[in-house]
Amino acid sequence: MSEKINDIWASLSVAEFWGDIAKEFYWKTPCSGPFLRYNFDVTKGKIFIEWMKGAITNICYNVLDRNVHEKKLGDKVAFYWEGNEPGETTQITYNELLIQVCQFSNVLRKQGIQKGDRVAIYMPMIPELVVAMLACARIGALHSIVFAGFSSESLCERILDSSCSLLITTDAFYRGEKLVNLKELADEALQKCQEKGFPVRCCIVVKHLGRAELGVGDSSSQSPPIKRPCPGVQGKLKEKSKRVRLK
């Protein structure tokens, strides 16, 4: 009996805590039923958990649009970024981030990505990673983050598991002293997907280490110029790959 009471109390505490957090969000369609419903006991029926069933919102709108247009925080710093090298830092305001996210959302739409589509993101911790995630959220696409230290085989498996129709990656990056040619690994993964009967529609490549060639780095919202040479970084794009600069 005491265990049942504890379970009820725990569920009420969780619902109360997250219910207060949810009140801070914009909801296109508020939750009309119970905030939290679940069953983890197989003897009582199907296992399930439901949070705010029926409620509709957009995380990107809550993170960016509201802060820029409603709260007038556009000139405030959204986040600070520190790179691999000492002094390799930058910052981005809510205004700048909103512009970049809107631009990349349009890029995704142009590539045919729609609400419910899956997008794989195979990138290091660079500012464009945040842009890619929020752009997916903005248009209702589901993103699958794949750790940039994983192998091409691991990337292939995750693309297949999620049925991703588009891959976002980077040309290369430094992890400590090691240069990682991420585009080369991405190409190997895409080839493996092709061989397993699942061709990925498109691969978008952020020019990170090669950004100096594009004149990137003058704005405080963009990654600063690199401080190391990048020998051996693959320069050619394979078919259905597009190299872009998120700005």
Side-chain angles (χ1 to χ4, degrees):
M1 183 68 176
S2 61
E3 291 183 1
K4 185 175 182 180
I5 293 175
N6 288 337
D7 288 343
I8 295 173
W9 176 252
S11 64
L12 289 174
S13 298
V14 169
E16 182 180 6
F17 174 81
W18 288 112
D20 289 340
I21 297 296
K23 291 175 184 176
E24 301 176 8
F25 283 68
Y26 161 80
W27 296 96
K28 182 178 180 180
T29 303
C31 175
S32 57
F35 185 87
L36 171 64
R37 292 181 64 245
Y38 65 90
N39 176 44
F40 295 146
D41 188 345
V42 293
T43 64
K44 296 180 181 179
K46 183 179 179 181
I47 301 298
F48 74 93
I49 183 167
E50 295 176 348
W51 284 89
M52 303 184 70
K53 185 176 181 181
I56 299 175
T57 189
N58 185 287
I59 293 299
C60 183
Y61 180 87
N62 278 282
V63 170
L64 296 179
D65 299 68
R66 290 186 72 201
N67 280 319
V68 171
H69 301 303
E70 294 180 23
K71 300 180 181 179
K72 308 301 180 183
L73 299 176
D75 294 330
K76 297 291 184 180
V77 175
F79 68 87
Y80 297 88
W81 175 79
E82 294 188 8
N84 186 68
E85 299 287 341
E88 189 180 13
T89 63
T90 191
Q91 62 188 42
I92 181 169
T93 66
Y94 284 105
N95 261 329
E96 292 168 331
L97 187 56
L98 177 58
I99 291 171
Q100 293 184 28
V101 168
C102 288
Q103 288 176 334
F104 194 58
S105 295
N106 290 332
V107 170
L108 293 176
R109 286 195 182 99
K110 190 174 181 180
Q111 296 305 319
I113 299 300
Q114 301 176 357
K115 181 179 179 180
D117 288 343
R118 274 80 68 194
V119 174
I121 301 178
Y122 185 51
M123 299 172 68
M125 298 294 288
I126 58 177
E128 292 83 357
L129 172 61
V130 178
V131 174
M133 291 190 296
L134 288 173
C136 288
R138 191 171 191 84
I139 63 176
L142 307 176
H143 65 265
S144 172
I145 299 292
V146 182
F147 174 48
F150 282 173
S151 66
S152 60
E153 182 64 38
S154 296
L155 173 59
C156 171
E157 291 174 355
R158 284 156 178 77
I159 291 175
L160 295 176
D161 287 344
S162 302
S163 299
C164 296
S165 55
L166 186 142
L167 170 64
I168 306 171
T169 189
T170 308
D171 52 2
F173 70 101
Y174 274 101
R175 183 181 299 279
E177 299 293 325
K178 181 181 179 182
L179 175 64
V180 181
N181 194 328
L182 209 62
K183 177 58 170 60
E184 188 175 81
L185 295 172
D187 282 339
E188 292 175 3
L190 294 175
Q191 182 61 39
K192 295 178 190 292
C193 290
Q194 179 83 31
E195 293 169 356
K196 294 181 180 182
F198 189 83
V200 176
R201 185 192 310 167
C202 176
C203 175
I204 296 177
V205 184
V206 177
K207 203 165 188 181
H208 174 59
L209 288 191
R211 61 186 178 270
E213 301 171 16
L214 296 174
V216 181
D218 297 331
S219 169
S220 61
S221 67
Q222 297 166 341
S223 302
I226 57 172
K227 298 181 179 180
R228 298 188 188 206
C230 314
V233 174
Q234 182 172 321
K236 294 183 179 179
L237 292 177
K238 293 200 171 184
E239 186 178 0
K240 292 189 178 180
S241 291
K242 300 179 183 293
R243 179 165 289 148
V244 300
R245 170 167 51 126
L246 303 187
K247 67 175 185 176

